[in-house]
Amino acid sequence: MDDKTRWNEKYKKRLDNERESSGANERLKYLSPYFNGGRAVDFAAGLGENSLFLARHGFDVQAFDISEIAVEHLSKKGEEEQLPLDAHVCDLTNLDRDLIGKDSADIAVIAYYLDRELIPFAMKTVKTGGFFFMETFFLAPGKEEEGVAKKYKLKPGELLSLFKEWHILYFEENEHEGRQTLFARKR
């Protein structure tokens, strides 16, 4: 089964089984006092809870995901709430880099998706003074074999090393949950 089919099935099942959304990422919500609106890019947006949250906080949001079902759901929610949201179906491994300009975003978000080739591109989309939020799985001691495959998990401290030139405003490696979270401002 290809990635697009797998994610379409996953999101269809999730939409069929859930009456209420799970809401935006808790750490992203916690960091919202930093948000002043502008332009946001949400990579691997899924059903779009982070995109909707950012749009409700004054951002014009460009969201990208491989699943037509997820993008259709997100687009519909954005239209219902009359939010400034533009959702695109695309395989992030083959993203048309011309869709997003360099130094054009006030915030870029990647949640629970890891493509090490996408991160440097996503970093370049953020303008000076803008923010980058990323949260995903990492190789927590004793949990290396749990959950997703190792290649989709960050190494301990990996985000810190990638963003060493940025001002780190929030960083957490939660070994119990096996996640790594970073929020940084571009210098």
Side-chain angles (χ1 to χ4, degrees):
M1 174 182 322
D2 68 0
D3 284 341
K4 183 176 268 197
T5 303
R6 184 170 52 86
W7 284 106
N8 276 330
E9 287 181 8
K10 179 177 180 173
Y11 290 129
K12 182 178 182 335
K13 186 176 182 179
R14 191 177 292 168
L15 288 170
D16 289 346
N17 293 330
E18 291 184 14
R19 294 180 191 267
E20 267 186 55
S21 67
S22 58
N25 180 286
E26 289 300 318
R27 268 81 40 212
L28 186 65
K29 290 193 298 190
Y30 169 77
L31 295 161
S32 66
Y34 285 98
F35 302 162
N36 295 314
R39 184 159 180 262
V41 182
D42 187 1
F43 296 95
L47 294 174
E49 295 301 329
N50 293 332
S51 294
L52 293 166
F53 176 78
L54 292 167
R56 291 175 189 134
H57 278 79
F59 288 96
D60 290 326
V61 179
Q62 244 186 325
F64 298 90
D65 199 90
I66 196 169
S67 168
E68 291 106 343
I69 288 172
V71 168
E72 183 178 305
H73 170 78
L74 175 55
S75 295
K76 183 179 174 189
K77 295 286 283 183
E79 286 174 21
E80 287 172 2
E81 294 185 42
Q82 298 180 358
L83 295 171
L85 201 148
D86 188 17
H88 303 268
V89 175
C90 83
D91 179 347
L92 292 173
T93 61
N94 295 311
L95 176 65
D96 178 358
R97 309 290 174 159
D98 294 331
L99 284 174
I100 311 162
K102 183 179 176 191
D103 300 321
S104 64
D106 295 288
I107 186 168
V109 173
I110 302 175
Y112 292 95
Y113 176 80
L114 181 59
D115 175 348
R116 287 177 173 87
E117 293 180 21
L118 176 65
I119 296 171
F121 169 74
M123 291 169 74
K124 289 177 186 171
T125 68
V126 177
K127 61 176 77 168
T128 301
F131 301 100
F132 194 101
F133 175 87
M134 184 166 184
E135 179 172 288
T136 196
F137 305 104
F138 94 106
L139 293 165
K143 296 189 179 216
E144 296 88 353
E145 303 301 324
E146 293 179 16
V148 299
K150 286 182 183 180
K151 70 179 183 174
Y152 298 118
K153 293 181 181 182
L154 294 163
K155 297 174 187 134
E158 186 172 351
L159 287 178
L160 284 177
S161 65
L162 288 171
F163 287 84
K164 64 184 174 216
E165 303 298 321
W166 293 48
H167 181 199
I168 308 298
L169 298 165
Y170 179 91
F171 178 77
E172 180 183 15
E173 273 187 352
N174 187 311
E175 292 183 356
H176 299 290
E177 295 178 19
R179 72 170 160 76
Q180 198 172 111
T181 309
L182 175 127
F183 182 67
R185 181 185 294 126
K186 189 172 189 177
R187 298 179 197 246

